[in-house]
Structure formats: C-alpha cells, structure tokens
Amino acid sequence: MTFEHFSFDPRILARIEAAGYVTPTPIQTRAIPQVLAGRDVLGLAQTGTGKTAAFILPILQRLSKGPRGRVRALVVAPTRELAEQTHQAALDFGKKIGIRSVSVYGGVSKSSQISQLRRGVEIVVACPGRLLDLAHEGEIDLSRVEVLVLDEADRMFDMGFLPDVRRILKLTPNRRQTLFFSATMPPDIRRLADATLKNPVTVQIGEIAPAKTVSHAIYPVPDKLKKALLLAMLEQTATGRVLIFTRTKYRARNLARDLEKKGYRSAALQGNMSQNQRQRAIAGFRNGKYDFLVATDVAARGIDVSDISHVINFDVPDTVDAYTHRIGRTGRAHQMGEAFSLAGQDDAEMIRAIEKLLGSSLERRRLPGFDYGNFAPEQQFQGAPARKTSSRSRPSSRNNARRNNDHRSRRRRRPSQVSR
Ligand code: AMP
C-alpha cells in the first residue's frame, strides 16, 4: 500500500513524498481512513509507531478546505517536546496548502505565541497549562474547533493534567471529532475516553508480527482472588478489545456487571440472553461501545470480531479444544495477541494437557504488587517453576511515573510492554 491510496490533496501528497514516506505504517493504514471519514478514534499506540502522521495528515486534508484564520484543530500533548514535534509535522505536511500552526506551551514567553495567534492559525498544538492561560486571557478561541486530538493521554494523566484536560474539553464544541491516543488504558483513562469519544473506532498497534502471534501465560491464583487479580491485571495492562471466558453463564453475567461497575465498558454474552441481546452485545464489542466481552464457550462460538488484543480465561476451559478455540480469537491477521489464563490448583491437569498440545510449557506469572495472601503462585503446578516477575509485566503507569520522571527512558520502556 502507498499513501496515494488515501486520496489526499496532491499538495499534501507531495509533502509526504518530500518527507520520504513511502509505505504507511500499520497505525496510519488503519487510522487514516477512519479519521478522513470523520470517525472518533481511540488509538492504542505509543510514540514511534507513526501516530503523529496518522492524525495530522487527515486533519490537514480536512483543513485544506473550508475557512481559514480560526482554530479548527487542537492537539493537546503532555510535553513541550511532543507539542513541538507535532507542530513541526503540521508545518511540514501543511506547507503547500498554507495551513498555519502554532505551538503553545509554558516556560517560554507568551508574546510570540500571542502574536502568531492574533495573525490567525488553523492548528494549535498545546500543552494544557499555557493553553488554558491563553484561552482565559481571550487569546485563543476554541469554540469552533472541529477536530480535537488528545495525545499520550496516559502521560497527561501521570503528570496530573487530567483536570486541565477536562476544562479544555469544555471550551471546545460538543460536535467535534475526537482522536484519543494512549499507550496504556488504566480505568481513569478509559473513563476519560468514554466521556470524550462518540462511537469510536479502536486502533491498536502492536509490534510487527513475529512468527508466533499469540503469547500464552498462566496466572496461578486461588479462586476467591480471581476477580481482584483480573482487575489489578487490567490496570497494569494496555489492552484493546478483550474477550474474557468464564465457565458458566452466571459467572459471565456477574463478571461483566462487576467490570462495568469498575468503569470498564463491558457486556456479557451467554446462553440465557435473547438473540437480540446477543447481537447487541457482539455489535457493541465490534464497534467499540464495549471494550470487554465476557462470554461462555457456547455463546462465543462463531463471533467474528477482529483485533482482539487479549483473550483472558477467567476460568480455564474443560477441554484442550475449547482452549484453542478461545485463543484462536486473538493474534489474527499477524497482530500480536495475548492469552492469559487464571488457573487454580484444580486446573493442573488441564494445564498439562494444554502444554502438551502447544508443545511447550506455559509461562507462569505472578502479578507484581498483587496481594496473594498466603498463596504462593510459584509453588503451583510443580515441575514448571513460576517466574517471580515477568519481563512483560510492569507496575501501574502511575507508579511508573513516580519512579521514573525521565520521560525518555519511560518511552523507551513502553514498546515492549504495550506491543505484545
Ligand atoms: P511518531 O510515532 O509519529 O513519533 O513517528 C515516529 C517516526 O517515524 C518519525 O520520525 C516519523 O517521521 C517517522 N514516520 C512516520 N510515518 C512514517 C512512514 N510512513 N514512513 C517512514 N517514516 C515514518
């Protein structure tokens, strides 16, 4: 595929070529058509994936037509570096269509930013604090913003910008297109996404596919701690669409309800539901209304939803066949998927059978920071010792921020955590 596929204005295309871009990156391939179509997008991707061009190019395409001299696109970013980088991309790609962009952040004098704003701009790329200052001083009018981008939303949360972001949202029109990017999805970020996005398309980007697209892991845990472990796990993991399996209809319904209560957009899919209800649940999962579908094996048969980032066996299945069916729903189309199984002592035999089928032993994981009480996950399923800390696991993003204020090293660390 090439950039010509997207039917950009030839003047934008010329700038894409001048930048040396030949093939769109995966996030560009998937997000650009959706942004061009005016859809809200939830992008689960970190820096380095080409996400800047994924939103700035279709924004420029929109701005190439229509009025000039007023703020039509607003990009909110956590750091000056990111704001500056996005502003530069807007200038580079927008050069031939004469789109004006200004970067707005603190720590430098306001006067140059104000004079650029007064001359008239179509794009503002800003950090939250200075943006609010200038908006309150009447120097920036956000009332006619058509597209709002929240970039690196999880970092904005880590840095304490969420109240400011909420204030900024209120200054923009309700009828706008919103593009929301985040590398991780803790509940606060998910709630913010829910509150800002309308019927969004979720685009999740993993690493370029290795031969094996699904990684499997077991989390040994006593039954009574399963729910708590699942919630802790979700808080630590960047997920896209997640399919969760339970043994019974009753457990599916209850778990979906509990997840919903915790702020995770979830639906159940189980045999006691009418055909209509089931279709609504599947459609909602497909179109992004729900991030989590909690299903029984029978009810999940035949659902065809692509881009499932994680399959979680809340209950280990009764047969090896069921395991492969469940897992087959993630890691499709060369995307990375993860399969987690919450396994109790009673599941030892089934785990052995699954390992036999896979031809390798499943990685045992202990969730860092989770209170297991007297239970020792390492001592479960003797013969294949649990790893104490998985290299794929990590402390929650908030703790991460506290421990590590150096954004660059955080950023470096993310790809292996998110692109699974
Ligand atoms: P980003 O994730 O937006 O920070 O982009 C990471 C780097 O990839 C930047 O240096 C971009 O200029 C570059 N880049 C983005 N898209 C492409 C592409 N389609 N082809 C080549 N380089 C790209």
Side-chain angles (χ1 to χ4, degrees):
M1 213 228 263
T2 67
F3 280 94
E4 273 162 30
H5 174 87
F6 303 118
S7 325
F8 283 124
D9 183 306
R11 294 167 297 172
I12 299 175
L13 206 51
R15 295 302 302 161
I16 297 173
E17 275 165 20
Y21 292 11
V22 180
T23 315
T25 66
I27 194 167
Q28 290 162 2
T29 305
R30 290 164 60 203
I32 288 173
Q34 304 291 353
V35 183
L36 284 173
R39 293 287 304 266
D40 281 8
V41 171
L42 174 60
L44 293 172
Q46 65 279 354
T47 295
T49 52
K51 75 177 158 62
T52 314
F55 64 78
I56 213 70
L57 294 173
I59 286 177
L60 288 168
Q61 175 65 30
R62 174 197 273 256
L63 302 188
S64 67
K65 302 187 188 95
R68 296 289 169 103
R70 65 188 201 206
V71 182
R72 296 175 61 195
L74 171 66
V75 181
V76 186
T79 62
R80 286 187 224 178
E81 294 75 22
L82 187 61
E84 201 50 48
Q85 186 187 311
T86 306
H87 162 66
Q88 284 306 330
L91 288 182
D92 286 348
F93 293 120
K95 202 170 181 179
K96 286 197 167 194
I97 49 171
I99 287 297
R100 290 161 298 176
S101 168
V102 61
S103 54
V104 165
Y105 43 75
V108 293
S109 127
K110 280 182 187 170
S111 57
S112 144
Q113 296 170 359
I114 291 175
S115 59
Q116 289 180 72
L117 285 161
R118 287 186 184 166
R119 281 200 296 272
V121 294
E122 290 78 35
I123 302 182
V124 171
V125 187
C127 297
R130 175 63 62 88
L131 175 67
L132 278 175
D133 271 2
L134 292 182
H136 290 146
E137 289 168 18
E139 298 291 353
I140 299 184
D141 175 9
L142 299 177
S143 68
R144 288 192 284 185
V145 164
E146 296 164 36
V147 192
L148 169 71
V149 182
L150 296 180
D151 200 4
E152 301 204 351
D154 50 353
R155 277 175 84 192
M156 293 208 264
F157 173 66
D158 287 347
M159 294 165 80
F161 285 146
L162 234 48
D164 280 354
V165 169
R166 292 206 178 88
R167 281 181 209 119
I168 292 164
L169 285 167
K170 287 200 185 114
L171 299 176
T172 66
N174 251 335
R175 263 177 61 91
R176 52 154 209 262
Q177 182 181 17
T178 308
L179 314 173
F180 190 110
F181 291 90
S182 195
T184 60
M185 277 305 247
D188 293 273
I189 296 301
R190 223 177 272 273
R191 270 193 289 277
L192 181 68
D194 288 352
T196 49
L197 295 165
K198 295 192 185 88
N199 191 21
V201 185
T202 303
V203 176
Q204 176 164 30
I205 295 309
E207 267 165 4
I208 308 301
K212 217 169 89 187
T213 55
V214 181
S215 71
H216 305 251
I218 293 180
Y219 286 83
V221 61
D223 229 19
K224 64 177 193 304
L225 292 181
K226 269 190 181 179
K227 204 170 284 175
L229 181 81
L230 176 69
L231 290 169
M233 191 189 269
L234 293 181
E235 213 175 310
Q236 294 188 18
T237 313
T239 55
R241 284 198 188 95
V242 183
L243 187 54
I244 302 178
F245 284 96
T246 61
R247 195 171 48 239
T248 66
K249 302 173 200 172
Y250 175 80
R251 284 164 76 81
R253 196 182 56 211
N254 279 352
L255 185 57
R257 198 194 49 208
D258 289 348
L259 287 174
E260 190 73 39
K261 273 191 208 151
K262 293 283 178 191
Y264 295 104
R265 299 183 305 169
S266 318
L269 184 71
Q270 39 88 4
N272 282 352
M273 291 158 63
S274 71
Q275 189 58 24
N276 250 345
Q277 288 173 317
R278 280 196 238 182
Q279 273 165 358
R280 269 205 301 277
I282 295 171
F285 189 48
R286 188 180 289 129
N287 68 27
K289 182 174 176 197
Y290 304 118
D291 299 311
F292 298 86
L293 192 65
V294 189
T296 55
D297 288 296
V298 177
R301 214 168 271 166
I303 66 164
D304 185 21
V305 178
S306 55
D307 295 350
I308 290 174
S309 71
H310 291 76
V311 168
I312 300 179
N313 293 317
F314 187 72
D315 297 315
V316 171
D318 292 335
T319 65
V320 176
D321 242 22
Y323 183 83
T324 51
H325 271 121
R326 290 178 178 188
I327 300 320
R329 301 184 178 284
T330 186
R332 284 185 181 174
H334 305 296
Q335 292 176 40
M336 280 301 280
E338 277 204 303
F340 296 154
S341 298
L342 276 50
Q345 187 65 54
D346 291 349
D347 296 318
E349 207 175 309
M350 188 47 59
I351 300 290
R352 270 195 294 276
I354 293 167
E355 289 180 323
K356 207 167 149 199
L357 172 95
L358 294 174
S360 61
S361 71
L362 294 169
E363 181 190 342
R364 272 69 166 159
R365 291 190 194 167
R366 164 194 269 272
L367 190 72
F370 182 74
D371 182 6
Y372 283 90
N374 294 329
F375 184 83
E378 299 82 357
Q379 285 163 23
Q380 305 306 308
F381 314 120
Q382 297 294 330
R387 282 203 205 166
K388 217 167 189 168
T389 315
S390 156
S391 58
R392 288 171 183 272
S393 305
R394 64 185 186 91
S396 76
S397 51
R398 226 179 308 184
N399 293 340
N400 225 2
R402 261 186 232 127
R403 271 174 221 169
N404 181 3
N405 286 323
D406 176 352
H407 302 310
R408 282 203 215 144
S409 59
R410 278 193 67 204
R411 210 187 282 184
R412 262 202 309 277
R413 238 196 275 167
R414 272 205 176 132
S416 66
Q417 295 147 357
V418 181
S419 313
R420 296 166 183 183

